[in-house]
């Protein structure tokens, strides 16, 4: 879902599906910030529920993960973004994230490290700030070549992740798939964290391009959704990397 969102917005701009407005309200940074904050608050509430029901009712967070994927697909491909679907995605994703985080935390505690989730949250925030700084200072520039490289990298990762998931079902890498196979697995995991981090630059560029094109305020919901998808992906990749390192130690 992250890969789909990264490029659907740029496609809309290039194809002219989102027209420059001549009247009405325009998308502005405060609107994106407000909607992103609201959705993360909803996600946090869902995460609490998923965390505290992870053991007693695991089918809830597993089902929520499937529901969240469905809402993500709707939000990615729907021409006119729906605030309700974005918030429902945040809630379902939060429940799924809470359940997943609980089991990662338990894994960390079993291996002598009890701050796995907290470390992943802090690391995600730090990476976000660093990438925002790199983007705003133009140290990282989102050019057409950058987008093409990201597309190839994301498609390659998707293929690798599918094969790794199948391998994990057969116990490869201690349940982590190819990501859990020795030092090579750690290198792969670090690469994916870096890939997810650079996807944030695509989100930042989408927001900037949207304001430049004068798109309607409603599209700030799409931007908030995009940031959430990427940050959730980044958090999960950091969480997995930490779990692999803790397990090796």
């Amino acid at each position: 879902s992250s890969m789909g969102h990264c490029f659907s917005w740029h496609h809309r701009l290039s194809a002219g599906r989102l027209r420059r407005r001549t009247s009405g309200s325009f998308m502005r940074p405060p609107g994106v910030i407000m909607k992103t904050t609201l959705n993360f608050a909803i996600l946090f509430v869902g995460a609490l529920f998923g965390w505290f029901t992870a053991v007693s009712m695991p089918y809830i967070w597993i089902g929520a993960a499937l529901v969240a994927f469905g809402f993500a697909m709707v939000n990615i491909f729907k021409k006119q973004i729906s605030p309700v679907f974005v918030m429902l995605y945040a809630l379902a994703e939060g429940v799924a994230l809470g359940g997943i985080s609980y089991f990662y935390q338990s894994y960390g505690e079993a291996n002598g490290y009890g701050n796995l989730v907290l470390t992943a949250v802090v690391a995600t925030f730090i990476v976000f700030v660093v990438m925002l700084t790199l983007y705003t200072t133009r140290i990282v520039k989102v050019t057409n070549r950058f987008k093409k490289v990201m597309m190839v990298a994301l498609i390659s990762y998707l293929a690798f992740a599918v094969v790794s998931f199948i391998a994990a079902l057969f116990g490869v890498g201690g349940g982590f798939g190819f990501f859990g196979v020795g030092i090579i697995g750690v290198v792969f995991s670090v690469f994916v964290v870096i890939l997810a981090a650079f996807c944030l630059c695509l989100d930042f560029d989408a927001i900037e391009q949207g304001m430049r094109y004068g798109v309607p305020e409603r599209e700030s919901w799409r931007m908030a959704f995009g940031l959430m998808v990427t940050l959730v992906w980044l958090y999960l990749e950091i969480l997995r990397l930490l779990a692999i390192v803790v397990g090796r130690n």
Side-chain angles (χ1 to χ4, degrees), residues 34-202:
M34 181 184 69
K35 292 173 179 62
T36 302
T37 303
L38 172 62
N39 280 294
F40 269 102
I42 295 172
L43 181 141
F44 180 72
V45 172
L48 288 177
F49 181 78
W51 179 282
F52 289 111
T53 59
V55 176
S56 60
M57 294 180 286
Y59 52 86
I60 291 181
W61 71 263
I62 295 173
L66 298 175
V67 172
F69 180 79
F71 282 130
M73 292 299 100
V74 172
N75 289 326
I76 289 171
F77 295 108
K78 198 171 186 292
K79 184 175 180 180
Q80 184 173 9
I81 193 69
S82 172
V84 173
F85 283 138
V86 173
M87 289 186 284
L88 286 173
Y89 164 79
L91 182 61
E93 186 67 59
V95 175
L97 212 57
I100 294 170
S101 297
Y102 179 88
F103 286 105
Y104 267 110
Q105 179 70 12
S106 300
Y107 178 83
E109 291 174 355
N111 286 277
Y113 188 75
N115 294 318
L116 205 65
V117 170
L118 179 60
T119 303
V121 170
V122 173
T124 301
F125 178 76
I126 292 173
V127 171
F128 173 80
V129 172
V130 169
M131 297 310 298
L132 181 60
T133 302
L134 292 176
Y135 178 81
T136 54
T137 57
R138 293 300 187 260
I139 294 176
V140 174
K141 297 179 180 179
V142 180
T143 62
N144 287 332
R145 182 178 181 181
F146 178 90
K147 294 173 187 176
K148 290 177 181 177
V149 171
M150 289 295 293
M151 173 67 87
V152 172
L154 285 166
I155 292 175
S156 300
Y157 162 70
L158 179 62
F160 177 81
V162 170
V163 176
S164 178
F165 176 75
I166 295 173
L169 295 178
F170 291 94
V172 175
F176 288 107
F178 296 142
F179 292 97
V181 181
I183 191 65
I184 296 178
V186 175
V187 172
F188 278 142
S189 193
V190 170
F191 169 77
V192 177
V193 168
I194 294 173
L195 181 63
F198 275 98
C199 263
L200 285 171
C201 290
L202 292 176

